[in-house]
Amino acid sequence: MGNFSSGIDQDFLDILQQHTAGNPMNSSIRWTYLKPREIVSELLKKGYSVSRNIVRYLLKKHEYVKRKAQKNITMGGHPDRNAQFENITQLKQDYLDAGNPVISMDTKKKELLGTFYRNGSLYTQAAIQTNDHDFPSSATGSVIPHGFYDLKRNTGYITLGTSHDTSEFACDSLFQWWVNEGIIHYPKAKSLLILCDGGGSNSSRHYIFKEDLQKTANALGLEIRIAHYPPYTSKYNPIEHRFFPHVTRACEGVVFDSVETVKTLISRTSTSKGLTTIVHILDKIYETGRKYAADFKEIMPIVFDTHLPKWNYRAIPQE
């Protein structure tokens, strides 16, 4: 069964890549929600005459084995879930075809700084001693890694905040990414697509994020398009399985005694397939509980899509 077109393997993997999720703590655990008949349909579009048996062979060859999950967790769903996945797939392709950047964004777990235990093991000449309890009162500070993953260039960018994970911090991190990386590699970009979850500092429900996003678009002079993943599907956000697992591995077992140490460790994040990482420290105090301007909703320049507007909208720079 292995004597068909040599290009089918890469096309098969490209199809799965658009419909794959994973565990942000373990890059080896990945899964696809496509069924064999759906993969057959996608391969037929690329000109391959294949059957479900060939697709099952390709799945096995590339170590996609049908398994049952060990636990069942009911977290809810949304009736527009599939429609938004299809929308995101189309947006990604449109932006990549046009040469515009597609960035996946999210924030990793806040970490305490100090002599606290962290999972993982290292080669050492003596045992590393850490506190037997992780009391925040014993910390010398904290660090919040806010990440961007460039889908086209396979590069990661982390902003290390030392204050709070707010919408202003998320947008400042975006500003830093663009002036330090984005504009260099996409000097002719007309628009930027950001894929992100629906909660947290970039919540789809909060107008304060939209207000800060508009300010960022104005400052950069660049249109910013947001596409949120539906509730309970954040694991499909590319950054969760293409970047964050490797960041976690680069930091395993090492004590986070300072933000400089964290920067050094995360900067080492790389893979044999060419992933590289840049880290920037943003030592700024962010206010929590901020409210959007009283008249923002009435004069808001944010442009919402006609299709699933709650998850898809653009911040267009104002003169």
Side-chain angles (χ1 to χ4, degrees):
M1 190 175 287
N3 295 324
F4 38 78
S5 171
S6 60
I8 194 172
D9 282 279
Q10 188 56 55
D11 284 332
F12 168 82
L13 292 173
D14 288 344
I15 290 168
L16 260 63
Q17 181 174 285
Q18 299 295 326
H19 305 277
T20 294
N23 186 334
M25 303 301 289
N26 186 343
S27 61
S28 67
I29 301 177
R30 306 181 70 187
W31 59 90
T32 181
Y33 55 84
L34 289 181
K35 293 179 172 58
R37 60 177 174 77
E38 295 172 316
I39 301 173
V40 167
S41 177
E42 293 298 319
L43 286 171
L44 288 174
K45 293 177 185 178
K46 292 182 177 289
Y48 296 102
S49 178
V50 297
S51 65
R52 294 189 192 183
N53 286 337
I54 289 177
V55 166
R56 291 189 183 99
Y57 164 78
L58 289 170
L59 285 166
K60 184 175 181 180
K61 177 181 178 180
H62 295 285
E63 299 181 343
Y64 282 87
V65 179
K66 195 171 185 179
R67 299 182 177 93
K68 289 185 178 180
Q70 294 181 342
K71 293 184 179 181
N72 294 313
I73 303 175
T74 302
M75 296 294 291
H78 197 284
D80 293 326
R81 175 186 183 277
N82 289 341
Q84 179 63 351
F85 270 108
E86 292 172 0
N87 185 55
I88 287 174
T89 298
Q90 186 61 56
L91 283 172
K92 284 193 296 185
Q93 194 60 55
D94 290 346
Y95 269 68
L96 291 172
D97 289 346
N100 287 322
V102 180
I103 305 300
S104 176
M105 175 175 82
D106 199 11
T107 307
K108 278 182 67 66
K109 180 175 69 74
K110 180 178 181 178
E111 299 275 2
L112 296 175
L113 299 177
T115 51
F116 299 109
Y117 172 82
R118 301 190 68 257
N119 286 329
S121 57
L122 302 168
Y123 287 103
T124 67
Q125 293 183 317
I128 298 174
Q129 303 297 322
T130 63
N131 298 344
D132 58 356
H133 287 83
D134 294 343
F135 294 131
S137 58
S138 301
T140 57
S142 62
V143 62
I144 303 166
H146 187 282
F148 295 95
Y149 174 72
D150 186 328
L151 274 67
K152 180 180 180 181
R153 299 182 57 248
N154 189 31
T155 59
Y157 187 93
I158 293 280
T159 300
L160 297 176
T162 57
S163 178
H164 301 285
D165 184 21
T166 66
S167 64
E168 186 181 11
F169 170 57
C171 289
D172 281 353
S173 298
L174 172 59
F175 184 93
Q176 292 293 332
W177 171 81
W178 178 253
V179 299
N180 290 322
E181 286 289 302
I183 197 171
I184 296 173
H185 300 287
Y186 300 97
K188 297 181 180 179
K190 303 299 183 183
S191 182
L192 164 66
L193 173 62
I194 299 179
L195 310 176
C196 57
D197 299 347
S201 57
N202 50 247
S203 173
S204 61
R205 302 181 304 277
H206 295 168
Y207 283 97
I208 187 64
F209 172 63
K210 294 176 177 65
E211 184 178 41
D212 288 339
L213 186 73
Q214 184 64 57
K215 292 177 182 177
T216 304
N218 293 346
L220 296 177
L222 177 71
E223 177 184 280
I224 303 172
R225 173 180 279 281
I226 298 293
H228 292 281
Y229 280 88
Y232 313 111
T233 64
S234 61
K235 59 182 175 291
Y236 289 103
N237 196 352
I239 196 172
E240 296 289 349
H241 51 89
R242 297 192 203 173
F243 183 42
F244 279 171
H246 308 297
V247 173
T248 298
R249 186 164 54 249
C251 299
E252 282 183 338
V254 182
V255 174
F256 283 177
D257 55 7
S258 70
V259 67
E260 288 78 16
T261 296
V262 180
K263 178 181 179 181
T264 299
L265 291 169
I266 294 181
S267 296
R268 301 185 314 174
T269 304
S270 62
T271 68
S272 60
K273 294 186 178 180
L275 174 69
T276 57
T277 305
I278 295 174
V279 185
H280 173 81
I281 297 174
L282 188 54
D283 195 9
K284 175 181 175 181
I285 303 300
Y286 290 97
E287 176 188 352
T288 58
R290 287 172 56 238
K291 304 296 183 183
Y292 57 86
D295 60 347
F296 178 71
K297 289 179 69 174
E298 287 70 32
I299 64 172
M300 177 173 55
I302 295 289
V303 178
F304 292 87
D305 289 8
T306 55
H307 180 56
L308 300 174
K310 59 192 170 186
W311 294 329
N312 303 281
Y313 47 87
R314 293 175 292 149
I316 301 174
Q318 305 296 296
E319 296 295 337

